Amino acid sequence: MAVNLQVALGRLRLPNPVMVAAGTFGYGVEYRDLVDLTRLGAIVTKSLTLAPRMGNPPPRVAETPAGMLNTIGLQNDGVDAFLLETLPRLREYGVPIIVSVAGETLEEYVQVAAKVSRAEGVAALELNLSCPNQARGGMEFGVSAELTAQVVAAVRRAADLPLIAKLTPNLGDLTPVAQAAVDAGADALSLINTLLGVAVDAQTRRFRLSSKVGGLSGPAVKPIAQYHFWRVRQALPNTPLIGVGGISTPDDALEYILLGAHAVQIGTANYVQPTTALEILDGIHNYLQQHGFESLDALRGLVG
Ligand SMILES: Cc1cc2nc3c(=O)[nH]c(=O)nc-3n(C[C@H](O)[C@H](O)[C@H](O)COP(=O)(O)O)c2cc1C
């Protein structure tokens, strides 16, 4: 039986639902010798800021039970270098490119997004709303529905590309923020970004990360991510959602699709095995075939 894996998230059309998540796969080109990039549903780039950033000092990662904490600090080449040097190389693979946009001010988000939207060959923008807001003492933009709406609306006006808002889980109820993002013009939502956490080393009697606080990801976060996903799905039944958090097997990805995901993103699992996204893609394909589903539409949202 032929299986159709194509998905449409509003205006954004993807050949299949399996993407690599922002910040966990570089800009994509780094992996060209290890992974057949042409088969990915999309590559989400690491988040780009206006100027290049060195990120935080080491140690920047710490392993935790079934997960990891990171404090990379938005290290990146800056949007101009990406557009000039990296994007032309990445375009050669023909894989949909989703550029993750970051900022410490509303103006920075807008300027980065406007520059990217003038470039050729970008399929969509993903707004990283977990960035620290300079004007509010480093609070994440995405914990406030009002700030989220402001960022999404301003980027919407500045850039004519499909727009994905990526939500932070670091608040009790994500649904008001999700609603605000959609009302302000987001075509789709991805959720979740990392959860705030700390880790202490009893032997050195220090925090394990230079910045003390980091973001938790990996299998440990999956039930939390799926909880938020399920709640947002209920609140916004007509908005395309992308499930992110703790996916490392085909079943993990299928769970999100059953909960109503149009697509999924693979993050921390790329560090364990860079080909994970393709193995998950093959696993989804086999599952559909074995269980007699012709497309993802038939499977999506069966658990609600
Ligand atoms: C080392 C590392 C760097 C990350 N960098 C970014 C980033 O630049 N922008 C972003 O939106 N998310 C970033 N994330 C979050 C992931 O894209 C993803 O939302 C999160 O890790 C949960 O998925 P996972 O459990 O599959 O890793 C990063 C995660 C990790 C582990």
Side-chain angles (χ1 to χ4, degrees), residues 48 78 119 188 224 231 236 301 303:
L48 291 163
I224 303 171
R231 289 202 61 188
L236 297 168
V303 175

Side-chain angles (χ1 to χ4, degrees), residues 21-24 46-47 61 68 70 72 74 100 126 128 166 192-194 217-219 221 244-247 265-269 271:
T24 65
K46 69 163 73 180
S47 292
V61 291
M68 67 182 275
N70 88 82
I72 304 300
L74 292 176
S100 172
E126 183 179 83
N128 175 1
K166 183 172 179 184
I192 57 170
N193 211 311
T194 54
S217 62
V221 310
V244 201
I247 300 176
Q265 294 178 357
I266 318 301
T268 301
Y271 292 109

Side-chain angles (χ1 to χ4, degrees), residues 22-287:
T24 65
F25 206 74
Y27 301 108
V29 280
E30 299 92 320
Y31 286 86
R32 63 180 179 265
D33 296 333
L34 296 171
V35 179
D36 180 359
L37 301 179
T38 64
R39 294 189 59 220
L40 292 168
I43 290 175
V44 186
T45 68
K46 69 163 73 180
S47 292
L48 291 163
T49 51
L50 205 49
R53 284 174 65 117
M54 297 282 288
N56 292 329
R60 310 203 291 186
V61 291
E63 208 171 319
T64 62
M68 67 182 275
L69 276 173
N70 88 82
T71 178
I72 304 300
L74 292 176
Q75 177 189 5
N76 77 99
D77 296 342
V79 64
D80 291 336
F82 170 79
L83 293 176
L84 198 68
E85 292 154 27
T86 314
L87 181 60
R89 287 162 60 210
L90 194 49
R91 261 196 314 246
E92 286 172 21
Y93 294 90
V95 56
I97 302 165
I98 298 177
V99 173
S100 172
V101 175
E104 286 187 325
T105 61
L106 185 132
E107 294 72 34
E108 185 174 6
Y109 278 106
V110 170
Q111 286 180 46
V112 173
K115 280 176 185 261
V116 175
S117 77
R118 288 193 290 270
E120 245 175 70
V122 175
L125 299 176
E126 183 179 83
L127 285 179
N128 175 1
L129 294 166
S130 297
C131 299
N133 179 357
Q134 246 175 21
R136 298 225 186 153
M139 178 186 102
E140 289 178 300
F141 280 89
V143 298
S144 154
E146 186 197 333
L147 282 176
T148 295
Q150 283 173 15
V151 173
V152 172
V155 168
R156 175 78 293 158
R157 282 192 296 274
D160 184 29
L161 279 172
L163 192 54
I164 303 164
K166 183 172 179 184
L167 307 183
T168 172
N170 295 315
L171 69 164
D173 180 5
L174 272 63
T175 56
V177 175
Q179 183 73 59
V182 171
D183 291 345
D187 299 283
L189 305 174
S190 50
L191 59 157
I192 57 170
N193 211 311
T194 54
L195 289 135
L196 294 177
V198 298
V200 174
D201 185 335
Q203 299 309 314
T204 61
R205 295 180 287 281
R206 291 167 182 269
F207 285 102
R208 288 188 188 270
L209 297 177
S210 63
S211 59
K212 299 179 185 170
V213 177
L216 184 67
S217 62
V221 310
K222 191 180 75 171
I224 303 171
Q226 292 188 342
Y227 164 72
H228 288 302
F229 186 95
W230 171 66
R231 289 202 61 188
V232 170
R233 168 81 296 153
Q234 285 180 317
L236 297 168
N238 300 319
T239 302
L241 300 183
I242 302 165
V244 201
I247 300 176
S248 52
T249 67
D251 273 10
D252 295 330
L254 286 159
E255 289 161 18
Y256 279 98
I257 294 166
L258 287 167
L259 286 170
H262 279 69
V264 293
Q265 294 178 357
I266 318 301
T268 301
N270 293 315
Y271 292 109
V272 182
Q273 172 58 263
T275 52
T276 303
L278 297 184
E279 285 152 21
I280 288 174
L281 175 60
D282 291 338
I284 293 174
H285 182 271
N286 294 345
Y287 179 97

